[in-house]
Amino acid sequence: MSALAEKWEMDPQRFFWMYGDGRSAEPVAFDEASGIWNVYGHPETVQVANNPHLFSSDTGRLIPERREFDEGAITQLDPPRHTALRKLITHAFTPRAIDDLEPRVHAIVADLLDKVIDRDGFDLIADLAYPLPVTVIAELLGIPASDHSLLNGWVNKMMSISSEFSLGERDEVVGNEVEFAMEQVRHITDYLRDHVRQRRTSPRDDLLTRLVQAEVDGERLTENEVANFANVMLVAGHVTTTLLISSTVLCLDAYPEVDRAVRADRAGIPGLLEESLRYLSPITSMVRVTNAPVEVGGVTIGADQMVSAWISTANRDPRVFNDPQTFLPARTNNPHVAFGRGVHFCIGAALARRESRIALNALFDRFPALRCDPDNPPVFMTNPNLNGAARLPVVTG
């Protein structure tokens, strides 16, 4: 069991990987109830991520109710279409572009912390870890600050589901949760579609305008493609950073000796963030569909089968990581898959790392005694696809 799981009594069923249950004795297993093949091992997960010709991201072919949101959503596309769409936004995440964003990130962090500096405590997620990345990505897209709270409401509702996905028969509760989540996605894409129409007649200097004006194979993207593309950027563009910042603070609280060491030597922050990504990976799993029969971990999986590769267990595979249940920022070998691998490697990974580094340095500077509130424990996320806290009260003295 990890120290973090023990301290906060994390649900052992929901967060099984935090209790040493990496299921590595059976790195690939079929779940009869859900109809899904689960991949738990690290090399097996890398195999799934690195072979899009065998493991397709087009999961909508087995999940018809989400098909309307797949058009233009790069997380659901395979090469060459995925490659072509991804190229449309790579310029926004180059090292130079991220360097140019850094002053703005510093300013946002400073403004957010100014609002809580005189308090004895605050919610780290609501007051910093969420508004920082959502402000950055919304500004890149060209979404007005006045609408951030509106989007926040839809995203929070979408993320609040607790049911595991299944290809089998669903009971009423699961069916209602799926429809509720889809309803929130419709709110977001409808909102973004309105902005897409505005950019067609009144272009601006933002990513939405570039997507509206872009051509792929000689054709402009449809309104749905741009809206779905922007939706993926908006949600994926802030969830990972939100969870990385808050989970790192959770880890520092559970390992006070690490907190003391990294505060004394800030050069340890990059290693701290990489270990946080491994130890409490923001995304629990990646889902693919097989295009043909394929062997994974000595098991043959047939064509048109759904495969769930568990990032959280892959990052605790004892075949790859020494003492995987211990939080060790000084690891010299940390090939975690928190940001994925291959063609779908998170395009915003460098930005997430930069935002998190700036946020942590600012927290260390302003709050020398910051720690989780012992009388007001964190509330962990119920969404099975996300790993971390939904609410994280901290005290400053």
Side-chain angles (χ1 to χ4, degrees):
M1 179 192 300
S2 70
L4 181 59
E6 182 177 17
K7 177 168 185 173
W8 299 115
E9 299 180 347
M10 297 172 70
D11 182 351
Q13 296 299 317
R14 163 77 172 83
F15 299 98
F16 63 87
W17 51 87
M18 299 291 289
Y19 290 82
D21 181 3
R23 311 195 178 180
S24 56
E26 197 175 41
V28 179
F30 182 68
D31 181 54
E32 294 279 356
S34 67
I36 297 173
W37 287 88
N38 290 307
V39 174
Y40 298 113
H42 185 280
E44 294 81 10
T45 294
V46 170
Q47 178 188 352
V48 171
N50 279 342
N51 293 281
H53 60 291
L54 290 173
F55 300 93
S56 170
S57 294
D58 182 18
T59 58
R61 71 198 209 211
L62 298 184
I63 316 172
E65 61 262 48
R66 62 154 299 140
R67 206 61 170 151
E68 64 182 287
F69 307 115
D70 288 348
E71 184 186 15
I74 58 172
T75 54
Q76 301 299 309
L77 298 174
D78 298 319
R81 185 68 173 178
H82 168 269
T83 306
L85 291 186
R86 186 176 170 114
K87 285 181 179 178
L88 298 178
I89 59 169
T90 52
H91 70 279
F93 299 97
T94 63
R96 180 174 179 177
I98 293 172
D99 285 343
D100 290 343
L101 277 174
E102 181 159 332
R104 178 60 182 145
V105 175
H106 277 287
I108 295 169
V109 170
D111 180 62
L112 291 170
L113 294 184
D114 282 346
K115 296 174 182 177
V116 299
I117 192 66
D118 294 324
R119 299 185 199 170
D120 294 330
F122 57 94
D123 182 349
L124 186 86
I125 294 174
D127 293 317
L128 175 66
Y130 172 81
L132 166 60
V134 81
T135 300
V136 172
I137 196 66
E139 288 183 356
L140 284 173
L141 285 167
I143 294 171
S146 57
D147 290 345
H148 292 183
S149 60
L150 182 67
L151 292 166
N152 183 27
W154 291 327
V155 172
N156 284 345
K157 289 177 182 177
M158 180 179 66
M159 298 297 187
S160 68
I161 65 171
S162 58
S163 299
E164 295 277 358
F165 177 77
S166 173
L167 290 173
E169 291 188 14
R170 301 173 186 167
D171 60 28
E172 186 177 355
V173 173
V174 174
N176 288 340
E177 279 207 338
V178 170
E179 180 52 37
F180 179 76
M182 293 301 99
E183 182 181 349
Q184 308 316 309
V185 180
R186 288 187 193 98
H187 286 314
I188 298 172
T189 53
D190 286 346
Y191 169 88
L192 291 170
R193 201 173 290 109
D194 287 340
H195 279 273
V196 170
R197 295 188 188 109
Q198 292 174 21
R199 297 310 189 278
R200 292 202 189 282
T201 56
S202 302
R204 303 177 190 174
D205 183 19
D206 56 37
L207 279 180
L208 267 182
T209 297
R210 292 189 181 95
L211 292 174
V212 166
Q213 295 176 339
E215 289 189 1
V216 178
D217 298 328
E219 295 183 356
R220 293 282 179 92
L221 302 182
T222 67
E223 284 185 1
N224 284 342
E225 284 180 311
V226 177
N228 289 334
F229 196 145
N231 175 50
V232 170
M233 289 186 63
L234 181 66
V235 176
H238 81 267
V239 166
T240 299
T241 305
T242 296
L243 290 173
L244 176 53
I245 294 170
S246 56
S247 292
T248 301
V249 171
L250 273 170
C251 292
L252 290 173
D253 183 78
Y255 290 86
E257 69 283 2
V258 174
D259 184 53
R260 289 191 293 271
V262 78
R263 283 176 179 273
D265 182 5
R266 304 292 179 85
I269 288 180
L272 170 70
L273 291 173
E274 296 310 304
E275 180 66 346
S276 178
L277 285 164
R278 183 200 71 84
Y279 186 82
L280 206 55
S281 310
I283 308 299
T284 59
S285 64
M286 65 179 84
V287 181
R288 301 288 189 268
V289 176
T290 53
N291 285 330
V294 58
E295 184 175 311
V296 185
V299 176
T300 299
I301 302 175
D304 297 315
Q305 298 292 300
M306 184 164 285
V307 174
S308 180
W310 287 80
I311 293 170
S312 293
T313 57
N315 285 341
R316 279 177 158 72
D317 192 332
R319 296 174 295 174
V320 177
F321 301 98
N322 181 48
D323 195 9
Q325 287 302 111
T326 303
F327 188 71
L328 299 172
R331 288 181 188 274
T332 55
N333 181 38
N334 190 359
H336 66 76
V337 288
F339 286 124
R341 288 287 178 89
V343 298
H344 281 281
F345 181 81
C346 178
I347 195 170
L351 178 58
R353 288 177 168 119
R354 186 74 63 93
E355 290 171 331
S356 299
R357 175 178 60 78
I358 291 170
L360 284 174
N361 268 306
L363 286 170
F364 291 160
D365 288 341
R366 297 210 188 195
F367 305 109
L370 183 80
R371 67 189 190 282
C372 296
D373 187 342
D375 299 320
N376 196 1
V379 176
F380 289 96
M381 304 192 85
T382 58
N383 190 308
N385 297 317
L386 300 173
N387 194 16
R391 189 169 171 272
L392 182 55
V394 294
V395 292
T396 58

